[in-house]
């Protein structure tokens, strides 16, 4: 090749790179924002923000690598092991607790950025006539949902669930668009893996199986050949799903043998029959209706009304898709619409069953009533559908009015539920209702003031979103929808600050205690380590995470009466919480005391 040809080749390469950058500038903008937010906070993050959830996902990973954390794991309920599989290589590669935790956050960030691309590709299939830059902006808005930004900065399984659900929609359209063994197997494995990440994804498995069956039946009618491969795929999903129960039993046997059946039932199907039984009564049905109102209100307020538009579009497409299927005119996007709506409906039903009775007078958890965590992970796809419907729909302005009326009606029901509660729902775990927890403060004493402020904020932001949409439609400048990124980013930073960053100074001290424990056990390898737990937040999990080789024995004061004299021994390194009745007695016995974070460490030289 001569120099002239080489120069032309380089010039063409530069043009191709520039064109690629130009065509994806808004996707890159969204990813840059996600990276900036993550980097803004990561150096101030040292460990867990949610107890005992996060430790529950690290424990199976530790068990795979040969560490025994079962005593500490037994303080919490059962947590699935799918996310743990991704944490294994991180736990293997990194040994410093803070570095290990931050590496997992980077993994969550990568999944968030990949999700933007997948959302964009899905949107292009569903809305082929829309401008690609508009779809890229909407995809970025969806992936920068404040709750998602919060979960990215933790090691909760939710960050993986967001990505996994979006990936399942992408694999579904790839499979029904051009059926093949590869995408079929990948989709089957993903469905079962999502269930392994969290059991509430049973709704996604049901949605996938029903959609594939509908597609297979329609395909059989339209083709003379038998679709036996499709039924093999369905059988594969069922077989893999059945196998997860064997793995679950093994995990419980290894890590949760000390956990009571009552505690295990919190996140397990063993309490499912009881939950369903409560619904099948007049009172249970009344609570169910109120529970629905609370969670539908959350869907609207957390998305500024866009979720309602997305659901309306999905229902309309769902109905028309079945019409085309009957006429044998269905395209692959019809089955995609069916799949998306089934996911939304089934996952919403799963949330209702898990949180049944959240509106009962004796139920004090506001976040169980106005709950987001179990339904947050399908909200990004609703953002995509909702924004497109608001930009292109024929009845957008009527829809805006209906949204505001729904706020008022559902808000009134929620207000009455709070007022009729025995304790006015003064117990609120903000990180499970991130989408409407921007005014939450601790101690949480005035539920009514919080609810009023939150409702007014979300109504105001809904009106701002409506104004942006009106300007986009009025002046045919759809790129103005990018203004919504300001709202998402601002709320995301507020959520991360409130539920993560503000608490990390205390978390750092707990992690430092793990370093002290490592030094002490190195000096006295024959001493046993005992932690006296009496029902407080299990900050000892941070110590175990940072001292992964140490076998920490737990004395659970919730289950047995603690006689402190039994544990005042020279061969014992004792760890207690910061305030105990026997604190002075322990100090008098031990020579050395370390007071860091929420815990105290004692030993004799």
């Amino acid at each position: 090749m001569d120099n002239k040809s080489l120069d032309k080749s380089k010039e063409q390469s530069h043009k191709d790179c520039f064109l690629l950058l130009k065509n994806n500038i808004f996707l890159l903008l969204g990813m840059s924002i996600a990276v900036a937010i993550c980097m803004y906070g990561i150096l101030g993050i040292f460990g867990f923000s949610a107890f005992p959830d996060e430790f529950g996902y690290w424990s199976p990973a530790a068990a795979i690598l040969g560490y025994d954390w079962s005593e500490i794991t037994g303080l919490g309920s059962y947590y699935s092991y799918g996310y743990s599989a991704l944490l294994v290589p991180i736990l293997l590669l990194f040994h410093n607790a803070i570095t290990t935790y931050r590496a997992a956050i980077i993994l969550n960030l990568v999944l968030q950025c990949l999700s933007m691309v997948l959302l964009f590709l899905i949107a292009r299939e569903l809305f082929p006539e829309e401008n690609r830059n508009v779809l890229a902006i909407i995809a970025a808005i969806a992936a920068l949902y404040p709750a998602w930004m919060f979960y990215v900065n933790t090691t909760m399984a939710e960050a993986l669930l967001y990505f996994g659900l979006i990936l399942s929609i992408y694999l579904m359209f790839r499979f029904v668009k051009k059926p093949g063994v590869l995408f079929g197997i990948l989709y089957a494995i993903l469905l079962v893996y999502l269930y392994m990440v969290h059991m509430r994804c049973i709704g996604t498995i049901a949605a996938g199986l029903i959609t594939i069956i509908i597609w297979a039946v329609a395909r059989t009618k339209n083709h003379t050949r038998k679709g036996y491969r499709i039924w093999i795929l369905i059988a594969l999903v069922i077989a893999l799903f059945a196998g997860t129960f064997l793995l679950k039993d093994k995990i419980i046997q290894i890590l949760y043998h000390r956990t009571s059946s009552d505690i295990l039932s919190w996140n397990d199907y063993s309490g499912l029959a009881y939950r369903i039984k409560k619904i099948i009564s007049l009172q249970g049905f009344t609570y169910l209706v109120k529970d629905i109102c609370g969670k539908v209100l959350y869907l609207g307020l957390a998305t500024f009304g866009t979720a309602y538009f997305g659901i309306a579009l999905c229902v309309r497409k769902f109905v028309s898709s079945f019409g085309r299927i009957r006429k044998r005119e269905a395209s692959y996007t019809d089955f995609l619409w069916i799949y998306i709506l089934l996911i939304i409906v089934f996952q919403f039903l799963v949330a209702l069953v898990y949180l049944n009775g959240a509106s009962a007078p004796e139920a004090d958890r506001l976040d169980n009533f106005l709950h987001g965590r179990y339904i947050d992970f399908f909200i990004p796809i609703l953002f995509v559908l909702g924004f497109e419907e608001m930009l292109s729909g024929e009845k957008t302005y009527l829809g805006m009015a209906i949204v505001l009326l729904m706020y008022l009606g559902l808000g009134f029901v929620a207000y009455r539920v709070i007022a009729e509660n025995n304790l006015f729902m003064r117990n609120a775990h903000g990180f499970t209702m991130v989408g409407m927890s921007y005014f939450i403060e601790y101690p949480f004493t005035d539920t009514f003031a919080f609810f009023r402020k939150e409702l007014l904020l979300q109504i105001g932001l809904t009106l701002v979103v409506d104004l942006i949409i009106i300007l986009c439609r009025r002046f045919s400048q759809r790129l103005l929808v990018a203004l919504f990124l300001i709202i998402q980013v601002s709320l995301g930073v507020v959520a991360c600050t409130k539920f993560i960053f503000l608490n990390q100074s205390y978390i750092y001290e707990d992690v430092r205690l793990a370093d002290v424990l490592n030094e002490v056990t190195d000096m006295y390898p024959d001493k046993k380590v005992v932690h006296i737990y009496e029902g407080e937040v299990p900050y000892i999990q941070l110590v175990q995470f940072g001292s992964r080789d140490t076998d920490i024995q737990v004395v659970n004061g919730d289950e047995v009466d603690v006689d402190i004299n039994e544990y005042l021994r020279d061969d014992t390194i004792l760890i207690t919480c910061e305030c105990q009745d026997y604190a002075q007695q322990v100090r008098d016995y031990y020579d050395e005391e370390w007071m860091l974070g929420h815990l105290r460490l004692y030993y004799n030289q």
Side-chain angles (χ1 to χ4, degrees):
M1 182 181 292
D2 56 25
N3 290 335
K4 185 177 291 187
S5 299
L6 187 61
D7 290 340
K8 286 184 177 180
S9 177
K10 288 182 178 180
E11 183 179 350
Q12 184 61 40
S13 296
H14 292 156
K15 288 182 179 179
D16 291 343
C17 289
F18 178 76
L19 184 62
L20 181 66
L21 180 64
K22 179 182 178 182
N23 289 339
N24 297 284
I25 187 67
F26 288 102
L27 274 179
L28 292 173
L29 173 63
M31 292 180 188
S32 299
I33 292 173
V35 171
I37 292 173
C38 186
M39 294 301 104
Y40 160 77
I42 196 169
L43 294 180
I45 296 176
F46 306 103
F48 307 146
S49 295
F51 298 86
D53 307 52
E54 293 190 68
F55 185 81
Y57 296 118
W58 284 98
S59 292
I64 291 172
L65 295 177
Y67 300 110
D68 183 8
W69 295 358
S70 59
E71 296 256 346
I72 305 299
T73 305
L75 295 175
S77 183
Y78 169 75
Y79 291 91
S80 294
Y81 47 88
Y83 186 40
S84 308
L86 294 185
L87 298 177
V88 168
I90 294 176
L91 203 59
L92 181 64
L93 290 173
F94 302 99
H95 297 280
N96 177 271
I98 295 174
T99 305
T100 302
Y101 192 81
R102 290 174 179 174
I105 291 175
I106 296 298
L107 172 63
N108 292 341
L109 173 64
V110 171
L111 296 179
Q112 184 184 31
C113 291
L114 289 175
S115 298
M116 288 189 198
V117 178
L118 293 175
L119 284 167
F120 171 70
L121 294 175
I122 293 167
R124 290 205 68 184
E125 295 294 327
L126 295 176
F127 311 110
E129 297 180 358
E130 182 60 271
N131 181 283
R132 64 176 287 127
N133 286 332
V134 174
L135 294 178
I137 293 171
I138 293 174
I141 290 171
L144 291 171
Y145 173 46
W148 196 344
M149 283 191 270
F150 162 75
Y151 287 120
V152 163
N153 288 282
T154 72
T155 53
M156 302 275 277
E158 271 63 27
L160 178 57
L161 290 178
Y162 282 93
F163 170 76
L165 187 71
I166 293 165
L167 180 60
S168 80
I169 296 172
Y170 174 77
L171 290 178
M172 171 64 81
F173 100 67
R174 289 299 301 266
F175 178 73
V176 297
K177 182 178 182 179
K178 190 176 181 180
V181 174
L182 176 62
F183 282 109
I185 292 177
L186 287 176
Y187 178 70
I189 292 173
L190 177 65
L191 275 188
V192 177
Y193 176 69
L194 284 176
Y195 177 79
M196 292 164 61
V197 174
H198 202 291
M199 290 185 298
R200 68 175 178 267
C201 288
I202 185 70
T204 302
I205 291 182
L209 288 175
I210 292 173
T211 304
I212 290 295
I213 290 172
I214 293 171
W215 177 80
V217 172
R219 180 178 169 82
T220 302
K221 290 180 179 179
N222 295 335
H223 297 77
T224 55
R225 62 182 181 179
K226 294 182 179 180
Y228 67 92
R229 293 181 180 177
I230 306 304
W231 300 105
I232 292 176
L233 174 64
I234 294 172
L236 176 63
V237 172
I238 295 173
L240 291 173
F241 176 66
T244 64
F245 289 91
L246 299 176
L247 287 173
K248 174 196 164 190
D249 290 342
K250 190 66 176 177
I251 293 291
I252 290 177
Q253 180 183 346
I254 295 173
L255 292 175
Y256 295 94
H257 55 273
R258 291 173 54 88
T259 307
S260 68
S261 57
D262 289 340
I263 294 178
L264 281 176
S265 67
W266 295 349
N267 292 331
D268 185 63
Y269 286 142
S270 58
L272 185 60
Y274 172 70
R275 293 185 180 105
I276 294 177
K277 184 179 178 180
K278 287 200 303 181
I279 297 175
I280 307 175
S281 67
L282 180 59
Q283 185 183 61
F285 182 75
T286 302
Y287 293 155
L288 177 65
V289 172
K290 293 178 181 179
D291 290 348
I292 291 173
C293 291
K295 288 157 188 64
V296 171
L297 178 63
Y298 178 91
L299 273 179
L301 295 179
T303 62
F304 321 106
T306 57
Y308 296 161
F309 280 91
I311 292 171
L313 173 63
C314 222
V315 170
R316 195 168 69 246
K317 292 289 187 179
F318 182 89
V319 173
S320 62
S321 293
F322 272 101
R324 281 188 289 274
I325 289 173
R326 284 195 298 269
K327 296 177 182 178
R328 300 186 181 182
E329 299 173 352
S331 68
Y332 69 93
T333 55
D334 290 311
F335 300 102
L336 194 57
W337 284 110
I338 291 172
Y339 181 53
I340 292 172
L341 183 63
L342 288 179
I343 286 176
I344 294 168
V345 171
F346 288 158
Q347 289 300 156
F348 191 84
L349 290 175
V350 169
L352 288 175
V353 172
Y354 262 104
L355 302 168
N356 171 249
S359 58
E362 66 274 9
D364 67 333
R365 288 274 298 273
L366 179 66
D367 56 295
N368 282 347
F369 174 54
L370 302 174
H371 193 78
R373 182 181 175 187
Y374 282 10
I375 58 178
D376 270 332
F377 69 125
F378 64 70
I379 280 181
I381 192 65
L382 286 179
F383 265 120
V384 173
L385 304 182
F387 269 109
E388 180 58 28
E389 174 68 0
M390 294 180 79
L391 288 170
S392 304
E394 297 178 357
K395 300 179 180 179
T396 297
Y397 301 134
L398 175 62
M400 290 176 178
I402 292 174
V403 166
L404 293 176
L405 290 175
M406 288 183 66
Y407 284 172
L408 294 177
L410 295 171
F412 175 77
V413 173
Y415 197 88
R416 291 304 307 163
V417 167
I418 296 170
E420 293 168 2
N421 187 268
N422 295 342
L423 298 173
F424 304 116
M425 292 190 168
R426 291 199 181 104
N427 185 1
H429 297 191
F431 70 88
T432 65
M433 49 181 285
V434 175
M436 54 176 301
S437 62
Y438 306 109
F439 282 107
I440 202 165
E441 298 291 344
Y442 296 102
F444 188 71
T445 56
D446 193 340
T447 314
F448 297 104
F450 160 76
F451 184 73
R452 285 193 297 268
K453 289 188 285 187
E454 201 68 40
L455 191 62
L456 289 173
L457 171 68
Q458 306 290 11
I459 290 175
L461 291 176
T462 298
L463 293 174
V464 172
V465 172
D466 290 347
L467 178 61
I468 292 173
I469 296 298
I470 291 170
L471 293 175
C472 290
R473 292 172 66 102
R474 176 68 179 83
F475 298 104
S476 300
Q477 294 292 330
R478 296 192 171 201
L479 293 182
L480 287 174
V481 76
L483 293 172
F484 188 71
L485 285 169
I486 300 173
I487 297 175
Q488 291 286 70
V489 171
S490 300
L491 294 178
V493 171
V494 169
C496 290
T497 301
K498 188 178 291 289
F499 301 119
I500 299 176
F501 304 149
L502 289 180
N503 304 316
Q504 286 300 310
S505 59
Y506 300 102
I507 298 303
Y508 175 68
E509 295 298 309
D510 292 323
V511 174
R512 281 188 60 208
L513 189 67
D515 295 333
V516 172
L517 179 60
N518 287 332
E519 293 175 3
V520 175
T521 53
D522 286 342
M523 290 188 295
Y524 307 104
D526 295 330
K527 288 181 183 286
K528 63 182 179 180
V529 182
V530 176
H531 171 59
I532 298 178
Y533 175 78
E534 297 199 17
E536 67 277 3
V537 176
Y539 293 109
I540 189 64
Q541 293 177 343
L542 284 163
V543 177
Q544 180 72 89
F545 184 66
S547 184
R548 62 179 72 171
D549 293 303
T550 304
D551 180 11
I552 302 177
Q553 300 176 28
V554 174
V555 179
N556 194 336
D558 278 351
E559 298 177 355
V560 298
D561 293 330
V562 177
D563 181 0
I564 192 61
N565 293 306
E566 293 183 21
Y567 309 103
L568 301 180
R569 300 168 57 93
D570 291 343
D571 64 349
T572 298
I573 300 169
L574 187 64
I575 302 176
T576 69
C577 68
E578 56 184 332
C579 296
Q580 292 292 358
D581 295 336
Y582 46 76
Q584 188 58 50
Q585 186 178 354
V586 175
R587 288 194 189 99
D588 291 341
Y589 182 83
Y590 286 104
D591 300 329
E592 300 293 331
E593 176 186 10
W594 285 85
M595 297 183 292
L596 291 170
H598 303 88
L599 301 170
R600 302 292 181 262
L601 184 148
Y602 304 91
Y603 68 97
N604 282 334
Q605 294 185 359

